[in-house]
């Protein structure tokens, strides 16, 4: 690569901060700007916002000024999408990598998906979604599937105590700390699994199987006592864990499954065991099982979410215009990270 790829970081929350920490000192990408959603972050150094030394780049809410920097790529890690921003970025010719997997398909409706694709085609740019799950862990499942001569069911399970991620806004949106009888609980959990529905379609295309329906089922665990996690509290009897499956159906059978066990702590009923990582199972000939697990206590969730998009930046900048997924890119790996 003859020059650094110019990158604008879009927000510095949990994933965005990990992306910044992953890009500082990177031999191929260079942070040239940063968008701030929160007014109090405007004017502050991006390094300081992300818990590291200053990097000499100041956060701004001036979208026009950020696009005038002519970035090659935007790392878009906001909590929720702002479609006007996404369209302007793509139209300007800047590529987008994002952890918002709902954007991989029509997760926000056909109109928004077409709007993004058309903006990318106008700008000659690409939009790529990844993360750890959805995103990278399922691509490991696809790599494993190359060993099989017949596949009956491919599943990916995320099974974690998620308290390390410490994101109250996200956890409450998922339904944590609701009464289990609250009609919102199932609805919120299913809504938070919307990105798995996009993931199943991407996996199905990669495996060459047509999905004729997507199923969802989930059950709740409730807290045995009031608990203070520091970043949020859970009330006794309220939802402290979810276990469920999003199923991609083919000919009446569940053939691709995104499964999850998400727990806040251990003191709940039922207290399902967690496998502390990502378990891939392929039922078929041969059957295959593999696991992505941390070498230490736990995966740093923000890092494992952010780096699959950071490490994809060079490939996404070189990809054809449009909404692309991992099948359109060379295998995304930790290139340039051996130091
Ligand atoms: N695929 C995966 O593996 C995976 C895993 C985890 C998360 N995610 C997704 O990645 C994205 C970022 O997650 P995160 O945990 O980093 O999020 P976060 O820390 O809660 O929020 C990220 C930033 O979004 C901005 N923001 C806050 N409220 C907002 C709102 N109502 N609308 C728009 N922007 C808002 C803030 O920007 P400022 O910093 O500028 O104030 C905030 O710091 C989310 O869409 C999440 O669903 C994906």
């Amino acid at each position: 690569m003859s020059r650094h790829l110019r990158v604008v970081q879009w927000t510095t929350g949990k994933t965005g901060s990990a992306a910044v920490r992953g890009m500082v000192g990177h031999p191929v990408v260079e942070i040239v700007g940063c968008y701030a959603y929160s007014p109090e972050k405007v004017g502050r150094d991006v390094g300081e916002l992300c818990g590291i030394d200053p990097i000499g780049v100041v956060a701004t809410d001036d979208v026009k000024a950020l696009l005038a920097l002519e970035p090659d790529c935007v790392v878009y890690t906001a909590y929720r999408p702002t479609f006007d921003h996404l369209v302007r970025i793509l139209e300007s010719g800047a590529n987008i990598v994002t952890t918002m997997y709902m954007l991989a398909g029509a997760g926000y409706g056909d109109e928004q998906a077409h709007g993004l694709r058309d903006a990318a085609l106008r700008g000659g740019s690409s939009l790529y979604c990844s993360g750890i799950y959805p995103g990278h862990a399922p691509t490991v499942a696809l790599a494993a599937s190359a060993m099989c001569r017949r596949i009956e069911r491919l599943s990916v399970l995320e099974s974690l105590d998620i308290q390390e991620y410490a994101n109250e806004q996200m956890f409450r949106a998922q339904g944590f700390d609701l009464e289990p009888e609250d009609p919102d609980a199932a609805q919120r959990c299913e809504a938070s699994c919307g990105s798995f529905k996009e993931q199943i379609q991407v996996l199905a295309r990669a495996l060459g199987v047509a999905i004729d329906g997507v199923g969802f089922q989930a059950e709740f665990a409730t807290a045995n006592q009031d608990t203070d996690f520091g970043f949020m509290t859970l009330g006794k009897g309220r939802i402290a864990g979810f276990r469920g499956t999003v199923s991609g159906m083919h000919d009446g059978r569940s053939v691709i499954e995104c499964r999850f066990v998400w727990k806040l702590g251990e003191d709940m009923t039922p207290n399902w065991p967690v496998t502390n990582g990502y378990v891939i199972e392929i039922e078929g000939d041969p059957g295959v099982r593999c696991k992505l697990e941390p070498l230490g206590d736990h995966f740093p969730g923000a890092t494992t979410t952010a780096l699959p998009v950071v490490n994809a930046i060079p490939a996404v900048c070189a990809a054809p215009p449009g909404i692309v997924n991992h099948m359109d890119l060379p295998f995304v790996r930790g290139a340039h990270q051996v130091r």
Side-chain angles (χ1 to χ4, degrees), residues 10-17 34-41 49 59 76-82 98-102 108 129-136 158 165 167-170 192 195-196 278 301-302 304-306:
W10 217 268
T11 73
T12 52
K14 298 194 75 64
T15 311
S17 295
C34 178
Y35 174 80
Y37 171 87
S38 306
E40 66 274 15
K41 291 190 177 180
L49 291 175
Y76 193 92
T77 54
Y79 178 67
R80 291 284 180 264
T82 302
T98 179
T99 50
M100 248 173 229
Y101 211 87
M102 296 271 280
Y108 293 99
C129 306
S130 191
I132 179 62
Y133 184 58
H136 184 64
E158 177 177 65
Y165 199 72
N167 190 329
E168 178 171 15
Q169 180 172 229
M170 181 180 290
S192 75
S195 56
F196 291 146
Y278 300 84
T304 55
T305 299

Side-chain angles (χ1 to χ4, degrees), residues 59-268:
T60 176
D61 58 2
D62 185 341
V63 174
K64 200 172 163 194
L66 288 168
L67 297 181
L69 295 169
E70 299 187 353
D72 296 289
C73 193
V74 167
V75 179
Y76 193 92
T77 54
Y79 178 67
R80 291 284 180 264
T82 302
F83 283 93
D84 170 55
H85 290 173
L86 290 163
V87 165
R88 286 168 69 188
I89 295 165
L90 291 168
E91 271 179 345
S92 79
N95 302 285
I96 296 177
V97 295
T98 179
T99 50
M100 248 173 229
Y101 211 87
M102 296 271 280
L103 297 174
Y108 293 99
D110 286 337
E111 198 180 326
Q112 301 288 20
H114 291 154
L116 293 177
R117 190 203 54 199
D118 292 348
L121 295 180
R122 281 195 299 278
S125 52
S126 336
L127 167 69
Y128 173 73
C129 306
S130 191
I132 179 62
Y133 184 58
H136 184 64
T139 67
V140 177
L142 286 178
S145 73
M147 294 189 286
C148 300
R149 69 183 194 106
R150 183 174 49 80
I151 296 170
E152 283 158 19
R153 186 181 65 95
L154 176 149
S155 78
V156 183
L157 164 70
E158 177 177 65
S159 176
L160 300 170
D161 178 345
I162 56 174
Q163 63 179 294
E164 176 272 340
Y165 199 72
N167 190 329
E168 178 171 15
Q169 180 172 229
M170 181 180 290
F171 294 168
R172 289 196 183 280
Q174 287 173 313
F176 280 96
D177 201 37
L178 287 181
E179 302 278 0
E181 303 75 29
D182 191 323
D184 259 7
Q187 187 270 328
R188 283 197 203 181
C189 180
E190 182 164 6
S192 75
C193 290
S195 56
F196 291 146
K197 296 179 181 174
E198 305 312 319
Q199 178 71 79
I200 282 174
Q201 297 298 347
V202 170
L203 288 172
R205 284 198 296 278
L207 293 170
V209 61
I211 294 299
D212 39 47
V214 176
F216 171 80
Q217 68 81 24
E219 54 189 317
F220 312 140
T222 52
N224 291 337
Q225 57 185 327
D226 293 348
T227 312
D228 187 349
F229 290 96
F231 65 92
M232 73 180 278
T233 55
L234 266 188
K236 181 179 178 183
R238 290 171 166 263
I239 293 176
F242 291 95
R243 180 167 78 166
T245 305
V246 183
S247 310
M249 309 297 290
H250 175 75
D251 277 350
R253 268 191 320 122
S254 174
V255 292
I256 301 177
E257 294 181 347
C258 288
R259 298 166 58 214
F260 54 92
V261 176
W262 296 323
K263 290 168 63 175
L264 265 179
E266 284 293 317
D267 194 8
M268 65 190 68

